[in-house]
């Protein structure tokens, strides 16, 4: 059995600014030179007209295109953002009950896939999702089984 990453897709917001610009504006705490040494040269800024969940869905649709839907048994979603902050009306308590992984499963038309969210892991959340998927696939008897690992972060 061969287990690996079959497809990869990502989306970035359209507005890009340099870390140096943010430093000049006083919008970052660390020196731009230090951030640059860590590999951060630019920052992508999300427009208010588009939600990060839209970017996630676009990427996920690209990944599952051409994949037999019935073969996708699980969806793992790591989200470094809280969908609560994407809402216009933060005072409505019902807005707190948001389940992005369930919405993603529905939008991708994967009703049989077990949808699981991973949180509180920071940048390593996607790596944890891949690790869990790998071990589940390794122990599975199902032939041609697939799993979707998705992430959205700010």
């Amino acid at each position: 059995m061969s287990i690996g990453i079959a497809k990869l897709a990502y989306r970035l917001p359209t507005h890009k600014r340099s870390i140096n610009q943010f430093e000049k504006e006083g919008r970052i705490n660390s020196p731009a030179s230090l951030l640059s040494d860590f590999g951060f040269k630019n920052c992508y800024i999300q427009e208010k007209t588009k939600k990060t969940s839209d970017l996630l869905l676009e990427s996920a649709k690209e990944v599952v295109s051409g994949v037999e839907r019935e073969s996708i048994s699980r969806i793992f979603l790591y989200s470094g953002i809280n969908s609560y902050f994407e809402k216009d009306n933060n005072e409505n308590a019902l807005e707190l009950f948001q389940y992005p992984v369930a919405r993603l499963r529905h939008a991708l038309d994967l009703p049989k896939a077990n949808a699981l969210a991973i949180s509180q892991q920071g940048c390593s959340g996607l790596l944890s999702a891949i690790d869990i998927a790998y071990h589940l696939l390794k122990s599975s008897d199902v032939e041609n089984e697939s799993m979707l690992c998705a992430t959205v972060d700010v």
Side-chain angles (χ1 to χ4, degrees):
M1 170 190 333
S2 175
I3 299 173
I5 297 173
K7 285 186 170 183
L8 178 68
Y10 67 92
R11 301 290 186 278
L12 294 171
T14 55
H15 296 299
K16 180 171 87 169
R17 307 228 1 238
S18 75
I19 296 298
N20 289 330
Q21 287 174 303
F22 279 114
E23 183 177 52
K24 287 176 189 171
E25 296 169 5
R27 296 180 68 188
I28 57 176
N29 292 327
S30 300
S33 59
L34 176 65
L35 294 172
S36 181
D37 288 344
F38 284 124
F40 298 103
K41 307 265 189 247
N42 297 298
C43 178
Y44 291 86
I45 301 169
Q46 183 65 33
E47 302 171 35
K48 288 188 177 192
T49 59
K50 194 165 190 173
K51 296 180 180 179
T52 52
S53 55
D54 295 335
L55 297 176
L56 173 68
L57 181 58
E58 290 172 16
S59 297
K61 282 182 176 179
E62 181 180 334
V63 169
V64 300
S65 68
V67 175
E68 177 63 41
R69 303 281 178 157
E70 297 293 320
S71 74
I72 300 174
S73 63
R74 289 179 179 82
I75 301 171
F76 296 100
L77 173 64
Y78 164 71
S79 178
I81 62 168
N82 185 340
S83 62
Y84 175 71
F85 294 113
E86 286 194 336
K87 298 296 174 194
D88 295 329
N89 180 6
N90 291 345
E91 294 178 15
N92 182 350
L94 289 177
E95 294 294 323
L96 296 173
F97 294 92
Q98 301 295 318
Y99 303 101
V101 71
R103 260 192 265 126
L104 182 62
R105 178 180 66 189
H106 176 73
L108 295 173
D109 192 27
L110 299 169
K112 294 184 179 182
N114 185 2
L116 304 165
I118 298 171
S119 65
Q120 301 179 8
Q121 298 232 338
C123 297
S124 68
L126 179 60
L127 298 175
S128 294
I130 293 169
D131 182 63
I132 293 167
Y134 168 79
H135 284 91
L136 286 171
L137 287 168
K138 189 175 175 182
S139 65
S140 177
D141 293 334
V142 178
E143 204 169 311
N144 296 322
E145 183 176 12
S146 297
M147 296 185 188
L148 173 64
C149 297
T151 188
V152 60
D153 206 347
V154 293

